[in-house]
Amino acid sequence: MEFSILYAIQNIRNPVLDSIILAITNIMGSYGQIWLIIGIVLCIFKKTRSCGAAVLISYALVFLVGQCGLKDLIARARPCHLDETVELLVKRPSSFSCPSTHSAWAFAAATSILLYFRKTGIGVMVVAALIGFSRMYLFVHFPTDVLFGAVLGIVLALVTVKIQKLVNKKINRNAEYGQVK
Protein backbone atom coordinates (compact mmCIF):
# COMPACT_ATOMS: atom_id res chain seq x y z
CA MET A 1 0.00 0.00 0.00
CA GLU A 2 2.81 2.43 0.85
CA PHE A 3 4.44 1.92 -2.53
CA SER A 4 1.05 2.67 -4.15
CA ILE A 5 1.04 6.07 -2.42
CA LEU A 6 4.65 6.74 -3.40
CA TYR A 7 4.03 5.76 -7.03
CA ALA A 8 0.93 8.00 -7.12
CA ILE A 9 3.10 10.88 -5.88
CA GLN A 10 5.69 10.05 -8.56
CA ASN A 11 2.91 10.41 -11.17
CA ILE A 12 2.48 14.11 -10.29
CA ARG A 13 6.18 14.91 -10.66
CA ASN A 14 6.96 17.76 -13.00
CA PRO A 15 9.78 20.30 -13.39
CA VAL A 16 8.00 23.02 -11.37
CA LEU A 17 7.26 20.74 -8.42
CA ASP A 18 10.76 19.24 -8.71
CA SER A 19 12.23 22.75 -8.27
CA ILE A 20 9.99 23.55 -5.29
CA ILE A 21 10.70 20.23 -3.56
CA LEU A 22 14.44 20.53 -4.16
CA ALA A 23 14.38 24.07 -2.74
CA ILE A 24 12.60 22.80 0.39
CA THR A 25 15.15 20.00 0.77
CA ASN A 26 18.15 22.25 0.19
CA ILE A 27 16.91 24.85 2.70
CA MET A 28 16.43 22.10 5.31
CA GLY A 29 20.00 20.81 5.06
CA SER A 30 21.16 17.23 5.52
CA TYR A 31 20.37 17.28 9.24
CA GLY A 32 17.64 19.91 9.30
CA GLN A 33 20.11 22.67 10.19
CA ILE A 34 17.53 25.34 9.37
CA TRP A 35 15.82 24.51 12.69
CA LEU A 36 19.08 25.04 14.56
CA ILE A 37 19.44 28.46 12.94
CA ILE A 38 15.82 29.36 13.74
CA GLY A 39 16.24 28.16 17.34
CA ILE A 40 19.41 30.22 17.79
CA VAL A 41 17.78 33.33 16.31
CA LEU A 42 14.76 32.89 18.60
CA CYS A 43 17.10 32.61 21.60
CA ILE A 44 18.59 36.01 20.85
CA PHE A 45 15.43 37.93 21.73
CA LYS A 46 13.99 37.90 25.25
CA LYS A 47 10.39 37.60 24.01
CA THR A 48 11.17 34.45 21.98
CA ARG A 49 13.97 32.97 24.10
CA SER A 50 11.91 30.19 25.71
CA CYS A 51 10.53 29.19 22.34
CA GLY A 52 14.03 29.15 20.84
CA ALA A 53 15.25 26.96 23.68
CA ALA A 54 12.36 24.56 23.06
CA VAL A 55 13.21 24.39 19.35
CA LEU A 56 16.88 23.64 20.14
CA ILE A 57 16.16 21.09 22.87
CA SER A 58 13.57 19.25 20.79
CA TYR A 59 16.01 19.30 17.83
CA ALA A 60 18.65 17.64 20.02
CA LEU A 61 16.14 15.06 21.25
CA VAL A 62 15.12 14.20 17.68
CA PHE A 63 18.78 13.80 16.80
CA LEU A 64 19.45 11.51 19.76
CA VAL A 65 16.22 9.52 19.76
CA GLY A 66 15.44 9.47 16.03
CA GLN A 67 18.67 9.81 14.11
CA CYS A 68 21.06 8.05 16.50
CA GLY A 69 18.61 5.62 18.10
CA LEU A 70 15.46 4.56 16.30
CA LYS A 71 16.80 4.60 12.71
CA ASP A 72 19.35 1.89 13.48
CA LEU A 73 17.03 0.03 15.85
CA ILE A 74 14.18 -0.16 13.31
CA ALA A 75 16.61 -0.57 10.37
CA ARG A 76 13.97 -0.15 7.67
CA ALA A 77 15.20 0.08 4.09
CA ARG A 78 14.29 3.19 2.15
CA PRO A 79 11.91 2.95 -0.81
CA CYS A 80 14.71 4.08 -3.13
CA HIS A 81 16.78 1.10 -1.95
CA LEU A 82 13.96 -1.36 -2.60
CA ASP A 83 12.97 0.06 -6.01
CA GLU A 84 15.96 1.51 -7.78
CA THR A 85 14.02 2.11 -11.01
CA VAL A 86 12.60 5.43 -9.76
CA GLU A 87 14.83 8.31 -10.82
CA LEU A 88 15.95 10.27 -7.76
CA LEU A 89 16.34 14.04 -7.64
CA VAL A 90 18.74 13.77 -4.71
CA LYS A 91 21.74 11.64 -3.81
CA ARG A 92 20.65 8.21 -2.60
CA PRO A 93 20.76 8.34 1.24
CA SER A 94 22.80 5.67 2.97
CA SER A 95 20.99 5.70 6.32
CA PHE A 96 17.84 3.79 7.20
CA SER A 97 14.37 5.13 6.52
CA CYS A 98 12.33 5.10 9.72
CA PRO A 99 11.65 7.51 11.25
CA SER A 100 11.97 10.43 8.87
CA THR A 101 14.09 12.74 10.97
CA HIS A 102 13.57 15.60 8.50
CA SER A 103 9.86 15.31 9.33
CA ALA A 104 10.59 14.89 13.04
CA TRP A 105 12.78 18.01 13.18
CA ALA A 106 10.21 20.03 11.25
CA PHE A 107 7.27 18.96 13.40
CA ALA A 108 9.26 19.35 16.63
CA ALA A 109 10.13 22.94 15.71
CA ALA A 110 6.62 23.67 14.45
CA THR A 111 5.04 22.28 17.62
CA SER A 112 7.46 24.23 19.83
CA ILE A 113 6.64 27.43 17.97
CA LEU A 114 2.90 26.67 17.96
CA LEU A 115 2.89 26.25 21.74
CA TYR A 116 4.43 29.71 22.21
CA PHE A 117 3.14 31.65 19.19
CA ARG A 118 -0.07 30.16 17.82
CA LYS A 119 -0.43 32.07 14.53
CA THR A 120 3.20 31.67 13.53
CA GLY A 121 3.14 28.05 14.64
CA ILE A 122 0.22 27.24 12.33
CA GLY A 123 2.25 28.55 9.40
CA VAL A 124 5.29 26.54 10.46
CA MET A 125 3.07 23.43 10.75
CA VAL A 126 2.16 23.90 7.08
CA VAL A 127 5.89 24.09 6.26
CA ALA A 128 6.46 20.92 8.31
CA ALA A 129 3.73 19.13 6.34
CA LEU A 130 5.38 20.25 3.09
CA ILE A 131 8.70 18.89 4.32
CA GLY A 132 7.05 15.56 5.14
CA PHE A 133 5.49 15.46 1.67
CA SER A 134 8.85 16.31 0.11
CA ARG A 135 10.42 13.21 1.67
CA MET A 136 7.86 11.02 -0.10
CA TYR A 137 8.06 13.02 -3.35
CA LEU A 138 11.82 12.46 -3.36
CA PHE A 139 11.17 8.71 -2.88
CA VAL A 140 13.44 8.54 0.16
CA HIS A 141 10.76 7.78 2.81
CA PHE A 142 7.62 5.73 3.08
CA PRO A 143 4.43 7.48 4.27
CA THR A 144 4.63 5.71 7.65
CA ASP A 145 8.24 6.93 8.07
CA VAL A 146 6.99 10.48 7.65
CA LEU A 147 4.01 9.89 9.94
CA PHE A 148 6.24 8.30 12.60
CA GLY A 149 8.70 11.20 12.27
CA ALA A 150 5.90 13.76 12.61
CA VAL A 151 4.49 12.05 15.72
CA LEU A 152 7.98 11.69 17.21
CA GLY A 153 8.73 15.38 16.65
CA ILE A 154 5.39 16.49 18.09
CA VAL A 155 5.73 14.28 21.18
CA LEU A 156 9.31 15.36 21.87
CA ALA A 157 8.35 19.03 21.51
CA LEU A 158 5.33 18.60 23.81
CA VAL A 159 7.51 16.93 26.45
CA THR A 160 10.21 19.59 26.05
CA VAL A 161 7.81 22.51 26.43
CA LYS A 162 5.97 20.86 29.34
CA ILE A 163 9.21 20.28 31.27
CA GLN A 164 10.47 23.73 30.32
CA LYS A 165 7.31 25.39 31.67
CA LEU A 166 7.45 23.34 34.89
CA VAL A 167 11.08 24.35 35.42
CA ASN A 168 10.29 28.01 34.70
CA LYS A 169 7.33 27.87 37.11
CA LYS A 170 9.54 26.42 39.84
CA ILE A 171 12.26 29.03 39.20
CA ASN A 172 9.67 31.83 39.34
CA ARG A 173 8.14 30.40 42.51
CA ASN A 174 11.57 30.15 44.14
CA ALA A 175 12.38 33.71 43.05
CA GLU A 176 9.13 34.98 44.60
CA TYR A 177 9.75 32.99 47.76
CA GLY A 178 13.28 34.36 47.96
CA GLN A 179 12.00 37.89 47.61
CA VAL A 180 9.49 37.45 50.46
CA LYS A 181 12.19 36.49 52.93
Side-chain angles (χ1 to χ4, degrees), residues 1 4 8 14 41 44 52 70 77 79 82 94 118 126 128-129 145 159:
M1 182 177 146
S4 299
N14 63 66
V41 169
I44 293 171
L70 291 173
L82 298 173
S94 59
R118 186 164 172 77
V126 171
D145 301 337
V159 168

Side-chain angles (χ1 to χ4, degrees), residues 15-156:
V16 173
L17 268 178
D18 288 355
S19 297
I20 293 168
I21 295 298
L22 286 173
I24 290 169
T25 292
N26 291 332
I27 290 169
M28 277 288 297
S30 299
Y31 289 98
Q33 295 94 324
I34 189 69
W35 305 115
L36 283 174
I37 294 166
I38 289 170
I40 290 167
V41 169
L42 290 170
C43 283
I44 293 171
F45 306 100
K46 187 175 184 177
K47 182 179 177 184
T48 58
R49 193 165 290 145
S50 291
C51 179
V55 169
L56 293 174
I57 293 166
S58 61
Y59 176 95
L61 290 173
V62 167
F63 184 80
L64 293 171
V65 174
Q67 187 70 29
C68 297
L70 291 173
K71 270 194 190 283
D72 290 333
L73 183 67
I74 296 169
R76 183 180 194 188
R78 290 178 182 267
C80 61
H81 295 155
L82 298 173
D83 181 354
E84 295 184 4
T85 64
V86 174
E87 182 183 343
L88 297 184
L89 298 172
V90 295
K91 183 181 168 201
R92 190 174 309 278
S94 59
S95 64
F96 290 115
S97 189
C98 188
S100 165
T101 48
H102 277 78
S103 299
W105 282 314
F107 278 94
T111 302
S112 296
I113 294 167
L114 181 70
L115 292 171
Y116 282 96
F117 304 100
R118 186 164 172 77
K119 285 183 183 179
T120 303
I122 290 169
V124 181
M125 278 290 187
V126 171
V127 170
L130 288 172
I131 289 165
F133 175 78
S134 78
R135 308 314 292 162
M136 294 180 290
Y137 186 94
L138 294 170
F139 208 70
V140 294
H141 283 291
F142 289 104
T144 51
D145 301 337
V146 171
L147 179 62
F148 186 13
V151 170
L152 177 66
I154 290 167
V155 167
L156 291 175

